[in-house]
Amino acid sequence: MAQQALGIVQTGSKLNVALLSKGYKQFALKSSETYDLETDRSDLDARKDEILQKLNVFSMVNKVGNARLSIGLNRNDYLWSIVEMPPVSSEDVRQILGFELESHLPVDQDAVAYDACLMESIAGVTSRVALAACDSKLVDHGQAIAAKSGLDLDAITTTTYSVINVINANWKPVTDAKHTVFLLCSEDGYEVVVTKDGKHVASRMVEFSSPWHIKDDLDRDTETTDKDITGIILQNIQLTLLMANLSSGLDSIEELTCLGRCDETVLKEMKDRLPATVFSAVEIENLIDQNTSYDQIAAISLAMEQLGDGECLNLLPPELRPV
């Protein structure tokens, strides 16, 4: 019997929902929807009630049943860092970093939920660990949504990390470049992510006052030109490369992959500025194509992650996670 998982993520004034099933090594997208949200995202109680209303409609229409639920936090709702530390096992890494949390992230340890995940380890030398934390109120908010919707909550996780993990596990870049630069175009802004050998090594989030990068809703400031926007993007790509210890600059980018619907004018300008770079788009058969918005890619990735075998950053306390 096929398993089912439900991925949900809020971005700005939208709720993105995706229901997937998995049979024998095969994912199937059963339904995906994007709903408008009218409540202010800072009013967690009102936003919870509105999300529950949308989820109930989705569940009735799609017979969600006992689907496993994963809630994604968008990039504005959590802090994260990559930590290099002495060799450590995946079983011990969370506990160890729990004692050092405030030295790696600007947080009050008593007010946050956190998790850590071993990304790679060089035997006897070093370990590279992804560390993330969010306001514990967001975890309480997610648990309340799950409880009142009647769904079993598997994870509250970091959307960007989940998307990159799922993409790298199910899609092959065009080039054989050691590093790939991803440009994630969501309703909340864009994020630049650099991966090395498929591993997330650095990212940088930048917001704009209007959703200039979404094809369906161009609303540019009249004083901001496409060229200005492109320059800002490229500047942030360069800063992200420096964060990844790549000092060779924009000319070194072999492949730049856009996730979501990037504005065609801005994309053309970027291609003109980076003539040696291969621009690619992610396609995963029957799940994701060039017309899929980033926010729906995120919801799909959350569900895929729960149906797969990989390890996610899970901000639920260990005692509340499914066995």
Side-chain angles (χ1 to χ4, degrees), residues 163-227:
V163 168
I164 296 301
N165 283 349
V166 166
I167 296 302
N168 282 321
N170 294 276
W171 172 80
K172 183 175 174 57
V174 174
T175 69
D176 293 324
K178 192 176 186 65
H179 294 87
T180 299
V181 177
F182 290 90
L183 185 63
L184 315 183
C185 304
S186 77
E187 182 183 316
D188 284 345
Y190 78 86
E191 185 173 4
V192 179
V193 177
V194 176
T195 65
K196 176 184 176 183
D197 296 327
K199 301 291 186 181
H200 189 161
V201 294
S203 61
R204 182 179 177 85
M205 181 76 185
V206 179
E207 297 177 19
F208 284 84
S209 59
S210 60
W212 56 268
H213 50 288
I214 303 297
K215 281 184 184 177
D216 300 337
D217 188 17
L218 290 179
D219 183 25
R220 295 192 182 90
D221 187 316
T222 54
E223 297 181 0
T224 303
T225 67
D226 291 342
K227 191 170 183 180

Side-chain angles (χ1 to χ4, degrees), residues 10-29:
Q10 303 172 58
T11 49
S13 60
K14 306 287 185 184
L15 174 69
N16 301 277
V17 185
L19 177 66
L20 270 71
S21 65
K22 184 182 181 184
Y24 179 68
K25 297 184 179 180
Q26 185 70 41
F27 292 104
L29 179 59

Side-chain angles (χ1 to χ4, degrees), residues 303-322:
M304 288 180 70
E305 193 169 52
Q306 292 310 307
L307 294 174
D309 299 323
E311 184 178 7
C312 70
L313 282 165
N314 192 347
L315 296 164
L316 276 177
E319 64 271 16
L320 298 179
R321 300 174 190 175

Side-chain angles (χ1 to χ4, degrees), residues 59-168:
S59 297
M60 287 188 292
V61 170
N62 296 287
K63 298 180 173 60
V64 169
N66 60 347
R68 301 156 64 180
L69 175 63
S70 178
I71 298 175
L73 301 180
N74 68 50
R75 193 61 180 86
N76 298 310
D77 289 334
Y78 65 89
L79 296 173
W80 96 296
S81 179
I82 293 176
V83 179
E84 294 199 7
M85 56 191 300
V88 61
S89 70
S90 58
E91 293 79 13
D92 296 333
V93 64
R94 184 184 187 278
Q95 183 177 2
I96 292 171
L97 284 176
F99 294 109
E100 308 172 359
L101 190 61
E102 293 180 7
S103 66
H104 296 295
L105 295 173
V107 297
D108 176 359
Q109 185 160 346
D110 294 332
V112 299
Y114 75 95
D115 195 25
C117 182
L118 183 64
M119 297 175 63
E120 63 179 339
S121 184
I122 302 174
V125 180
T126 188
S127 294
R128 298 183 72 251
V129 175
L131 174 66
C134 74
D135 189 326
S136 57
K137 292 179 182 177
L138 293 176
V139 173
D140 296 339
H141 174 66
Q143 288 178 280
I145 289 172
K148 292 196 174 184
S149 66
L151 295 169
D152 292 327
L153 181 59
D154 270 17
I156 296 176
T157 187
T158 55
T159 298
T160 301
Y161 192 76
S162 296
V163 168
I164 296 301
N165 283 349
V166 166
I167 296 302
N168 282 321

